[in-house]
């Protein structure tokens, strides 16, 4: 494990800082003062700027118009985006695109990924199941579409299709021509703005698969939901939704990898947000005076901020460990999902403690709707619970330790 970032990764950070420097965290109405969503759409200007600076294709191969970097680079950019509460589906779109590149067949990748890199195609993923308390793939069923028998050797009107990988090998003779999806995925981020929604599902045999469902496909309905941060979510209902065989990725491990990538990216968002909040707190307590001295010089204040700094460093170390495992497929005493669980435990608990301490040290000023701290608090709560709170990942880690005894 090496935490030294490459020149390319550092260049991505500099490019991201330049793009996000013009973003104001209070560019939309306060979630505390808005009964519904704070805005009807994503920040399109920012999205276009991310595409123009090639940050949307950062982790895609040059063959698809990308820079060929790894998930670590994506996490570095996400870290910067959270410091300004960037209202774009950067994590979701990039994670789904990377999954298509890694597990999808060559024709599908060639069709979708260049458009995603240019910002023309927005991707998101349903990862919460019906309630967020169950495995997301169990909330949707995928059954092969019934079709009339064809003469032996007839590949059908659409030709052969394979989900075996980017090599585009021919499928086996029993590959269905299409699939039918039924079920619900709740709290899907940015679904109203997305063109394709990656939906985990399970087959009659119990295998986890990933369906790429166009938002406008017949049978897809979106019910409005609003996040703690005031952003639009959607409950995505699938009622006998038909997808073509090429729109489903059935490669083993595909959904597990996407879920780990989404979770690790969420940890990067937590780290960036926490760092910005601690910086705001340091600036405020350095200027705010009581009894003729800055409150930052008081021992109680210094101890609390020092504890939060330690939280952030632990969040950072566990984040890069998880991102490194995902990026390199390196082995270890536990599967990579164990490192992801540890990172999410620290991210969830750590970001909560950081914003709570910041609110306490800001006093009443921290709750002022004219000051941006309350926005960071709302985003932190959303991030803390996204893809499972600390307790859920502690349970998952315990199961991994039971299955893979150490020593």
């Amino acid at each position: 494990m090496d935490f030294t970032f490459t020149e390319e990764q550092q260049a991505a950070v500099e490019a991201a800082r330049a793009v996000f420097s013009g973003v104001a965290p209070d560019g939309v109405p306060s979630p505390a003062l808005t009964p519904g969503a704070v805005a009807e759409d994503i920040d399109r200007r920012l999205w276009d700027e991310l595409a123009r600076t090639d940050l949307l294709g950062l982790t895609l191969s040059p063959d698809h118009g990308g820079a060929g970097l790894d998930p670590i680079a994506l996490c570095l950019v996400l870290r910067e985006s959270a410091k300004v509460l960037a209202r774009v589906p950067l994590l979701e779109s990039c994670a789904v695109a990377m999954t298509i590149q890694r597990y999808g067949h060559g024709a599908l990748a060639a069709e979708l990924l260049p458009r995603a890199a240019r910002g023309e195609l927005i991707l998101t993923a349903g990862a919460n199941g019906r309630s967020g308390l169950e495995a997301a793939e169990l909330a949707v069923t995928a059954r092969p579409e019934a079709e009339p028998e064809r003469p032996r050797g007839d590949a059908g009107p659409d030709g052969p299709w394979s989900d075996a990988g980017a090599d585009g090998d021919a499928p086996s003779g029993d590959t269905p021509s299409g699939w039918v999806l039924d079920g619900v995925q709740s709290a899907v981020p940015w679904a109203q703005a997305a063109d394709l929604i990656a939906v985990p599902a399970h087959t009659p045999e119990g295998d986890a698969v990933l369906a790429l469902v166009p938002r406008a496909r017949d049978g897809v309905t979106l019910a409005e939901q609003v996040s703690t941060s005031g952003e639009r979510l959607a409950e995505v209902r699938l009622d006998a939704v038909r997808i073509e065989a090429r729109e489903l990725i059935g490669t083993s491990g595909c959904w597990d990898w996407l879920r780990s990538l989404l979770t690790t990216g969420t940890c990067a968002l937590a780290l960036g947000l926490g760092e910005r909040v601690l910086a705001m707190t340091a600036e405020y307590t350095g200027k705010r005076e009581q009894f003729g001295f800055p409150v930052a010089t008081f021992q109680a204040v210094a101890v609390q901020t020092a504890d939060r700094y330690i939280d952030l460093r632990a969040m950072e170390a566990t984040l890069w460990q998880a991102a490194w495992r995902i990026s390199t497929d390196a082995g270890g005493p536990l599967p990579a999902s164990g490192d992801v669980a540890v990172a999410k435990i620290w991210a969830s608990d750590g970001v909560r403690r950081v914003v709570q301490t910041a609110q306490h040290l800001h006093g009443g000023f921290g709750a002022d709707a004219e000051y941006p701290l309350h926005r960071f608090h709302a985003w932190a709560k959303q991030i803390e619970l996204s893809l499972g709170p600390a307790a859920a990942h502690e349970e998952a880690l315990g199961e991994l330790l039971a299955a893979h005894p150490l020593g």
Side-chain angles (χ1 to χ4, degrees):
M1 181 174 59
D2 184 1
F3 285 166
T4 302
F5 301 119
T6 66
E7 291 183 5
E8 292 82 2
Q9 291 166 345
Q10 292 171 347
V13 173
E14 293 303 318
R17 286 174 179 168
V19 171
F20 294 128
S21 64
V23 178
D26 52 359
V28 292
S30 165
L33 304 176
T34 308
V38 296
E40 290 298 309
D41 198 8
I42 65 174
D43 187 339
R44 292 285 176 173
R45 185 203 64 79
L46 177 58
W47 188 254
D48 292 342
E49 185 66 11
L50 289 169
R52 187 189 67 79
T53 54
D54 297 326
L55 287 172
L56 295 182
L58 188 70
T59 54
L60 299 180
S61 74
D63 292 341
H64 302 308
L69 299 186
D70 56 16
I72 294 175
L74 175 61
C75 288
L76 286 167
V77 174
L78 290 170
R79 180 185 189 178
E80 298 303 317
S81 76
K83 295 177 182 179
V84 297
L85 307 183
R87 301 181 49 260
V88 287
L90 181 61
L91 167 59
E92 293 80 11
S93 200
C94 289
V96 173
M98 291 176 68
T99 305
I100 294 172
Q101 177 174 263
R102 182 181 175 100
Y103 292 98
H105 62 86
L108 181 68
E111 177 186 349
L112 300 179
L113 298 187
R115 296 173 58 202
R118 295 192 299 266
E120 300 168 1
L121 188 73
I122 298 178
L123 311 171
T124 190
N128 294 300
R130 292 179 177 274
S131 63
L133 301 177
E134 61 183 344
E137 67 273 18
L138 299 182
V140 176
T141 60
R143 52 186 170 84
E145 183 181 38
E147 58 178 340
E149 291 188 7
R150 295 191 295 267
R152 176 177 291 273
D154 184 0
D158 296 326
W161 171 88
S162 171
D163 66 358
D167 53 9
D169 290 341
S172 60
D174 58 355
T175 300
S177 64
W179 295 81
V180 179
L181 306 176
D182 289 282
V184 176
Q185 291 288 342
S186 65
V188 178
W190 321 104
Q192 294 85 349
D195 300 294
L196 283 179
I197 303 171
V199 177
H202 66 281
T203 67
E205 294 75 26
D207 298 324
V209 296
L210 191 67
L212 303 176
V213 183
R215 174 173 51 85
R217 184 65 54 87
D218 290 343
V220 177
T221 57
L222 306 183
E224 187 81 5
Q225 295 178 317
V226 180
S227 71
T228 301
S229 57
E231 300 298 335
R232 294 183 78 186
L233 305 174
E235 181 184 75
V236 178
R237 291 188 172 274
L238 308 168
D239 184 10
V241 175
R242 183 192 179 279
I243 63 171
E244 299 177 15
R246 67 187 185 89
E247 295 173 316
L248 183 137
I249 304 175
T251 312
S252 177
C254 170
W255 165 236
D256 289 338
W257 194 82
L258 174 56
R259 180 175 52 199
S260 291
L261 184 56
L262 289 169
T263 305
T264 304
T266 302
C267 297
L269 295 173
L271 176 61
L273 187 150
E275 289 176 330
R276 179 70 185 100
V277 167
L278 189 62
M280 292 170 62
T281 304
E283 181 180 6
Y284 176 79
T285 56
K287 295 178 179 178
R288 177 75 167 90
E289 292 189 359
Q290 287 185 353
F291 312 109
F293 297 94
V295 297
T297 62
F298 298 169
Q299 185 178 29
V301 173
V303 167
Q304 291 182 70
T305 53
D307 285 344
R308 301 296 77 82
Y309 177 82
I310 293 171
D311 277 334
L312 290 173
R313 297 291 67 79
M315 291 165 64
E316 184 176 21
T318 54
L319 163 64
W320 299 132
Q321 169 76 6
W324 175 75
R325 289 289 304 275
I326 292 175
S327 298
T328 62
D329 292 324
L334 291 178
S337 56
D339 292 288
V340 173
V342 171
K344 189 57 167 69
I345 292 167
W346 272 102
S348 292
D349 284 343
V351 77
R352 183 187 70 251
R353 289 192 290 260
V354 168
V355 294
Q356 287 178 342
T357 297
Q359 289 280 13
H360 174 64
L361 296 181
H362 275 81
F365 197 49
D368 187 348
E370 299 298 319
Y371 186 70
L373 181 59
H374 75 288
R375 297 174 184 269
F376 286 89
H377 199 157
W379 277 68
K381 180 55 67 174
Q382 181 67 31
I383 290 172
E384 175 193 348
L385 301 178
S386 293
L387 295 162
H393 290 276
E394 288 168 352
E395 181 178 352
L397 181 61
E399 292 175 354
L400 283 173
L401 288 169
H404 302 82
L406 302 180

